[in-house]
Every structure is written in structure tokens, then in C-alpha cells.
């Protein structure tokens, strides 16, 4: 099975860079638009988030984002479906929390090319490397 074309790989990297830029800008609406309408996010220690609006609502629970870093270690796929595997580090303060919290870990995203040719995240999950605090 042939892998991603150079054009598809470049389009995914461009869309993924736009996602990171939206995170860094704390633009939750734009971050949510990086996901397909029926996307699913599976965070650690929580129920999955189903749908773009639910994802945006969850993101709005972040009152302050101090830092966000994402490293893509691998991008591959075929036939309009791709995966991105990488690592992240984030420091944020949820609404109502007295102080920021930091996390780092691994991520896996499934990207899908839409009918319009644009790539969006269809499924995303991440795994924290840091131990849970008590």
C-alpha cells in the first residue's frame, strides 16, 4: 500500500502547524475547527469528547495557557487517512484552579482528508507521562 503523497504530508503538516498556532493563540474556536464535526478526543482520566462543539466547550475550560509544545515524531497513512504520533508538553490553568498545572506525554491523532481536500483531526488521544497527583 503506497503511503502519503508529498502533497498530502505537506498539507497535514500545514494543518497541524495551524492547530499548534491556534493553541498558542488561545483561540479555542480555531483549535476546534482543526477537528472534523464528528471528531472524538480521548483524554486521560476522562470520558471521550464527541464532536467539534463538545471539544470547543472543553477547551473553554482552560482559563490560562502558559506554554504548549508539540513535536511530531511520525506522520504516515494512505487513501485519505493519516496518523500523527508525537509528544507534547503543556502548562495551563483550568477555570477556577488556583495555580497552573503542567503535563507532558505522548499523543496519537488520526487525520482524515475531507471532500474539500482539507485535512482535519478525526480522532485524538494522549497519554500523560507524569504521574497523577493525589
Amino acid at each position: 500500500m503506497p503511503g502519503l503523497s508529498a502533497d498530502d504530508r505537506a498539507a497535514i503538516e500545514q494543518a497541524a502547524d495551524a492547530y499548534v498556532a491556534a493553541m498558542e493563540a488561545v483561540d479555542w474556536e480555531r483549535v476546534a475547527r482543526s477537528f472534523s464535526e464528528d471528531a472524538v478526543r480521548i483524554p486521560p482520566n476522562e470520558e471521550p469528547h464527541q464532536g467539534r462543539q463538545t471539544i470547543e466547550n472543553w477547551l473553554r475550560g482552560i482559563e490560562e495557557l502558559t506554554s504548549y509544545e508539540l513535536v511530531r515524531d511520525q506522520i504516515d497513512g494512505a487513501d485519505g487517512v493519516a496518523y500523527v504520533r508525537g509528544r507534547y508538553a503543556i502548562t495551563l490553568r483550568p477555570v477556577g484552579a488556583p495555580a497552573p498545572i503542567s503535563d507532558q506525554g505522548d499523543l496519537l491523532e488520526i487525520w482524515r482528508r475531507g471532500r474539500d481536500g482539507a485535512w482535519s483531526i478525526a480522532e485524538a488521544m494522549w497519554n500523560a507521562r507524569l504521574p497523577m497527583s493525589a
Side-chain angles (χ1 to χ4, degrees):
M1 172 187 302
L4 292 172
S5 70
D7 287 344
D8 281 339
R9 184 177 304 276
I12 292 165
E13 287 186 8
Q14 183 177 15
D17 287 345
Y19 168 83
V20 171
M23 284 289 294
E24 291 171 340
V26 191
D27 185 340
W28 304 136
E29 182 179 346
R30 195 166 44 128
V31 172
R33 283 195 314 261
S34 297
F35 291 84
S36 63
E37 277 293 331
D38 60 346
V40 176
R41 285 174 83 228
I42 306 171
N45 309 307
E46 289 186 38
E47 294 292 321
H49 309 148
Q50 175 77 48
R52 182 184 291 156
Q53 189 59 57
T54 301
I55 292 167
E56 183 177 345
N57 292 345
W58 185 90
L59 289 164
R60 290 189 183 285
I62 300 172
E63 189 165 345
E64 178 184 347
L65 181 69
T66 306
S67 67
Y68 181 72
E69 298 175 39
L70 189 141
V71 175
R72 291 183 291 274
D73 293 323
Q74 187 167 5
I75 300 174
D76 205 353
D79 299 325
V81 178
Y83 71 88
V84 174
R85 183 175 47 81
R87 296 165 279 137
Y88 71 91
I90 189 168
T91 300
L92 58 86
R93 187 172 54 80
V95 171
I101 57 174
S102 294
D103 188 25
Q104 63 185 24
D106 304 289
L107 64 93
L108 182 64
E109 299 168 339
I110 307 298
W111 289 71
R112 189 172 49 213
R113 185 176 50 225
R115 290 185 179 143
D116 62 356
W119 287 87
S120 61
I121 304 168
E123 304 270 343
M125 63 186 309
W126 63 99
N127 180 55
R129 287 187 183 182
L130 301 177
M132 288 180 52
S133 59

